[in-house]
Amino acid sequence: MLSDVTTPQDLDDRFRETLAALPAPAQRRDLADPVTDDAPLTGARLLDLFDAQVTSRQLDLAGRWLRSFGEGFYTIGSSGHEGNAAVAAALRPTDPALLHYRSGAFYCVRAAQVAADSPTPPADAPTSPAADAPGPDSEPEPGGPEAAVGGFVPYAEAARDVLRGMVASSEEPIAGGRHKVFGRADLAVVPTTSTIASHLPRAVGMGLAVERLRRLDTAGRRTGAGVRVGSGAGAAHVPWPPDAIVVCSFGDASVNHASATAALNTAGWYDHAGLRIPVLFVCEDNGLGISVRSPEGWVEATLRAKPGIRYFSADGADPVGTYAVTQEAAAWVRRYRRPAVLHLRTIRLMGHAGADAESAYRSPAELAEDLDRDPVAATARLLVDAGVATAEELLARYDETGWQVRRLAEEVLGEPKLASAADVVSALAPRRPVRVARAVADAAARASGPGAAAREEAFGGKPPELSGPMTLAQSINAALADGLLDHPQMAVFGEDVAAKGGVYGVTKGLRDRFGAARVFDTLLDETSVLGLGLGAGLAGMLPVPEIQYLAYLHNAEDQLRGEAATMQFFSRGAFRNPMVVRVAGLAYQQGFGGHFHNDNSVAVLRDVPGLVIAVPARPDDAAPMLRTCLASAAVDGSVCVFLEPIALYHTRDLYADGDGEWLAGYPEPGSWVAGHVPIGRARVYRIGSADDLTIITFGNGVRMSLRAAAVLAEEGVGTRVVDLRWLAPLPVADIIRESSATGRVLVVDETRRSGGVGEGVIAALVDAGYVGAARRVAGVDSFVPLGPAARHVLVSPEAITDGARTLLAR
């Protein structure tokens, strides 16, 4: 008995009291018969759901027990939300699901559904005095011993998964001890690390991709019944059939979050535009966001008001009704490929988490009312009233499950934890540069071999290598076209990228060449743009979303930090969301700007573990760096930010007007291998003897530093200018080598002095034991103002020259 591990409400004792008060059934019902005359569930199926609910409840109790002696690290439970077992039962196990953190019963049902399709039971299925008895699906005789005990076995594997997550066991199947999440590739359950709505935009993206891939299946342009996610030993083939729908659950408080608003709006926007998004949103409404109440009627009014999204509702304390409504909702989404929301009314038992004292903000009467609506007790009451089982038999199942869960909890306590920093980060962002280089070489071989004719046709008979010197924008455009030719699942999208070709013309002509299915405009919402990319990448596409300006990224950056960068980390590579995010940014636009179009802050990006940040300054770097990012995304599932300096898009000259020295020819495929730019490798320019000074810079700083170096050369100073090219990971080896060669380092950082890139460069030098002189020239800690005032806060060629002279005078 686990009553000593509950909260003061003593949920366990209350459940027992409820069962004890139930009268004996007037007559027994055959388990194969509907539980009521018009119910869509048989007695056997409802008994299955009861067992899943009880397993989830006992897991919550075990979590509190583990926490009581410092061995459990997660106590947000599912008590009160066990009605989602019926939601899972009404769906197909091949419908990908992104789950709310109160989805214990859903997870148990999904695991049992998949196990039932497996040829052999799990090797570690527990045994008990009733383990060999037939389960409910074997249709035993009504009233036999099978109806009393033995219902835990189908849910044992799921219970072990959850318990391993609670104790941070490195043997936990999805995150490996990094976090307690509901997720497993073979269950089509995608882990979500923060369910305060941040996963909803991804769900919309998955729906968009699932539908796109279904249409490709119909057209005969895609083979196989599923999508392969991950790579290597951790890869899994997830069977998302053509008519799959995406399921995404979240809490009622989350409906107010900007990410939820963005996702629901985007789904409705696309539906209004005629583009199908087969997503079933499930809002589990317990009326509380920790201690903040949802106003009465607010959630329903909000969900009903969402245009383009069909509304369904159910009571989570009524498993039969919930099952029927979910069946109806899922069938509607599956048939019409349109979004819907299921408003599932629930309660919350035992507080938000172990440390939450509900008595501080809820009255005893309110708490008692919720106890009266306990969904597990409601299912038990229905089973007894229908004559499926007696209260004594259900209590025996409850106790048997509690014993088994407690035993499993004691077993997982002894399992290993992550033992080192290397273990923790091993799944964060795999880097296989040899494979990436090989992928670039393969792309080159295809472009010059079997794909040569299609490539020439796509470029209108004139491949870009024959077009003469190009600007940065033109080079990126050509590289995107080559990427679309080589990666059939690649899609370019964002605000204004299709019809207009981008506000700077970088994507001009791509939609005409590759069609609206692969190059398309999105609504104006960066959260949704990134969410579409996250979901599309997870579903097997290679998304290349564009954020129109760097300043516009900041309202959506959690989609990169909390969702994109964490996917491989919290799934050990079983799931991944490859993506190359193009961002127009940095400062120095002439005659146009202010802060929102001249943003020089990249600190928030550099702080995201595993994120790749590329900053091409020159046309002849842009194409190979973009190819590397696309290959890394395809090979390693990398999340790359391709930060394009706006002021250099159309720059043609370097030293003097008309010299054309900032232009470069586009490389033909035969030279792609020789010109390959690995992630984390810098480019070095040597001016004069190159023995006196090292300037380390990137982006606009490259052009300004080369101009400054030319002035210094006239004074007899030899300079080596190091273009970092990659801001994450920094090319540390190149930084150390080139700095040590001169013993004088000037870091030219067009971002801000505080939190800028230069801080990372200086830190790398210090960590490596560099003993030479060093100095920084950086932007002022300010937003970029409008017009000529910008010159006062941004780095200038004159400031670089003066900084170099000061350093040389030491």
Side-chain angles (χ1 to χ4, degrees):
M1 182 172 175
L2 300 178
S3 61
D4 61 325
V5 306
T6 63
T7 62
Q9 287 82 36
D10 206 351
L11 190 57
D12 179 75
D13 282 351
R14 180 59 178 262
F15 180 74
R16 295 174 183 280
E17 292 169 5
T18 300
L19 286 184
L22 295 177
Q27 62 181 16
R28 299 305 294 260
R29 182 183 298 266
D30 192 303
L31 292 181
D33 291 339
V35 70
T36 61
D37 291 342
D38 57 349
L41 289 171
T42 65
R45 293 292 301 281
L46 186 60
L47 200 57
D48 282 343
L49 296 188
F50 173 77
D51 289 329
Q53 292 179 324
V54 166
T55 300
S56 179
R57 177 65 55 84
Q58 295 288 9
L59 285 168
D60 286 358
L61 298 178
R64 303 300 176 101
W65 172 69
L66 290 164
R67 183 69 183 92
S68 70
F69 55 90
E71 291 291 346
F73 308 103
Y74 196 92
T75 53
I76 296 179
S78 304
S79 294
H81 284 245
E82 290 92 349
N84 58 38
V87 175
L91 296 165
R92 297 177 185 173
T94 52
D95 291 329
L98 297 89
L99 297 180
H100 185 246
Y101 47 45
R102 301 194 189 279
S103 299
F106 185 113
Y107 185 78
C108 287
V109 171
R110 174 62 65 91
Q113 288 172 326
V114 173
D117 294 334
S118 260
T120 56
D124 58 354
T127 58
S128 72
D132 294 329
D137 285 338
S138 64
E139 304 297 344
E141 290 297 321
E146 304 86 358
V149 289
F152 173 67
V153 173
Y155 307 111
E157 188 176 4
R160 191 187 297 272
D161 290 349
V162 174
L163 290 166
R164 281 171 163 165
M166 290 178 179
V167 302
S169 166
S170 61
E171 296 182 14
E172 191 270 335
I174 188 70
R178 293 168 181 83
H179 193 34
K180 189 268 183 187
V181 295
F182 291 115
R184 251 177 57 188
D186 61 324
L187 305 185
V189 176
V190 179
T192 61
T193 61
S194 172
T195 53
I196 311 303
S198 62
H199 60 305
L200 271 67
R202 181 198 296 276
V204 177
M206 289 174 65
L208 179 73
V210 164
E211 182 63 8
R212 178 180 184 273
L213 296 174
R214 183 184 75 87
R215 290 172 182 263
L216 288 177
D217 282 342
T218 303
R221 286 171 286 175
R222 175 173 167 257
T223 58
V227 177
R228 188 171 182 82
V229 292
S231 57
H237 191 73
V238 181
W240 298 350
D243 64 346
I245 66 173
V246 178
V247 183
C248 179
S249 60
F250 58 103
D252 56 289
S254 295
V255 79
N256 305 298
H257 197 279
S259 296
T261 299
L264 294 167
N265 180 72
T266 300
W269 189 89
Y270 276 118
D271 185 79
H272 187 79
L275 187 63
R276 298 310 181 210
I277 307 283
V279 178
L280 177 61
F281 299 99
V282 181
C283 179
E284 299 188 14
D285 180 5
N286 62 28
L288 288 162
I290 303 184
S291 66
V292 179
R293 302 172 192 273
S294 294
E296 184 67 30
W298 169 252
V299 175
E300 178 177 350
T302 299
L303 295 176
R304 282 187 178 275
K306 298 298 182 185
I309 299 179
R310 182 153 179 169
Y311 177 86
F312 296 85
S313 66
D315 180 0
D318 174 11
V320 173
T322 296
Y323 180 84
V325 172
T326 306
Q327 271 197 323
E328 180 186 0
W332 190 87
V333 175
R334 202 179 308 279
R335 177 180 179 183
Y336 295 107
R337 318 305 292 168
R338 298 177 64 186
V341 61
L342 169 62
H343 184 193
L344 185 67
R345 291 173 175 83
T346 66
I347 58 172
R348 190 186 71 191
L349 300 173
M350 297 200 296
H352 175 73
D356 180 30
E358 287 194 291
S359 58
Y361 56 89
R362 302 187 77 189
S363 69
E366 186 180 359
L367 294 172
E369 183 181 351
D370 271 3
L371 282 168
D372 289 339
R373 296 181 56 223
D374 181 351
V376 184
T379 303
R381 191 176 296 112
L382 180 56
L383 287 166
V384 173
D385 289 347
V388 175
T390 67
E392 292 78 12
E393 290 167 348
L394 296 180
L395 184 59
R397 299 176 89 94
Y398 177 82
D399 281 337
E400 169 68 11
T401 297
W403 179 86
Q404 292 283 14
V405 168
R406 177 69 170 264
R407 186 181 67 81
L408 285 177
E410 292 173 349
E411 285 182 10
V412 300
L413 279 175
E415 293 184 347
K417 308 291 192 294
L418 293 167
S420 67
D423 287 345
V424 172
V425 303
S426 61
L428 177 61
R431 296 276 183 268
R432 293 177 290 186
V434 174
R435 292 193 184 186
V436 170
R438 187 182 306 135
V440 171
D442 291 344
R446 287 189 291 270
S448 59
R455 182 171 184 265
E456 184 169 348
E457 181 182 355
F459 284 107
K462 189 176 183 181
E465 58 267 25
L466 301 180
S467 298
M470 290 185 169
T471 62
L472 179 70
Q474 291 168 333
S475 182
I476 294 171
N477 179 280
L480 286 170
D482 268 325
L484 287 161
L485 285 165
D486 192 61
H487 298 278
Q489 298 296 4
M490 177 175 159
V492 175
F493 53 90
E495 302 161 19
D496 301 303
V497 304
K500 183 178 176 63
V503 293
Y504 294 99
V506 179
T507 56
K508 185 177 181 180
L510 294 181
R511 188 186 67 170
D512 294 339
R513 296 183 204 172
F514 298 99
R518 301 190 65 195
V519 182
F520 57 91
D521 290 323
T522 66
L523 73 175
L524 194 153
D525 177 56
E526 287 72 28
T527 295
S528 296
V529 171
L530 293 177
L532 292 175
L534 289 172
L538 189 66
M541 295 175 62
L542 181 56
V544 183
E546 179 188 286
I547 301 298
Q548 198 165 86
Y549 289 101
L550 178 58
Y552 299 174
L553 173 68
H554 302 307
N555 62 54
E557 59 203 19
D558 187 52
Q559 291 295 301
L560 290 179
R561 183 198 65 83
E563 293 293 318
T566 60
M567 180 53 70
Q568 295 203 77
F569 183 71
F570 287 125
S571 71
R572 294 193 291 181
F575 291 99
R576 61 187 206 171
N577 34 224
M579 188 161 63
V580 179
V581 185
R582 293 182 47 251
V583 184
L586 302 175
Y588 298 97
Q589 291 194 74
Q590 298 297 317
F592 181 70
H595 165 59
F596 284 104
H597 302 99
N598 283 278
D599 187 5
N600 64 339
S601 175
V602 298
V604 69
L605 293 173
R606 294 190 63 246
D607 186 55
V608 179
L611 199 70
V612 173
I613 307 174
V615 183
R618 300 197 55 152
D620 47 344
D621 279 331
M625 290 174 69
L626 183 55
R627 271 192 290 275
T628 297
C629 287
L630 292 172
S632 183
V635 169
D636 291 328
S638 301
V639 181
C640 303
V641 174
F642 200 73
L643 181 57
E644 302 164 6
I646 297 172
L648 299 178
Y649 269 149
H650 305 300
T651 296
R652 306 177 67 86
D653 306 323
L654 174 55
Y655 300 113
D657 291 346
D659 67 16
E661 292 200 29
W662 204 255
L663 302 173
Y666 188 85
E668 51 88 22
S671 64
W672 290 0
V673 173
H676 173 57
V677 178
I679 291 175
R681 291 304 308 272
R683 178 175 180 176
V684 182
Y685 300 85
R686 290 176 171 80
I687 293 89
S689 67
D691 292 335
D692 302 311
L693 175 68
T694 300
I695 299 178
I696 299 177
T697 188
F698 64 95
N700 294 286
V702 178
R703 184 170 181 269
M704 291 187 292
S705 294
L706 288 172
R707 291 166 68 93
V711 173
L712 293 170
E714 294 177 358
E715 301 171 10
V717 177
T719 306
R720 48 187 74 198
V721 176
V722 180
D723 178 3
L724 294 170
R725 297 195 292 197
W726 307 92
L727 304 188
L730 281 172
V732 174
D734 296 330
I735 290 171
I736 303 306
R737 183 189 65 249
E738 299 302 324
S739 300
S740 301
T742 65
R744 296 185 184 91
V745 176
L746 182 67
V747 180
V748 175
D749 181 3
E750 67 173 289
T751 62
R752 301 166 193 171
R753 191 166 190 85
S754 299
V757 177
E759 289 182 340
V761 174
I762 295 295
L765 290 169
V766 171
D767 289 346
Y770 173 75
V771 294
R775 184 178 177 86
R776 275 194 299 160
V777 176
V780 174
D781 289 344
S782 169
F783 299 107
V784 180
L786 189 65
R791 299 171 190 161
H792 301 304
V793 298
L794 296 175
V795 173
S796 67
E798 293 76 21
I800 299 171
T801 305
D802 291 344
R805 289 170 180 151
T806 301
L807 187 61
L808 290 164
R810 290 186 180 179

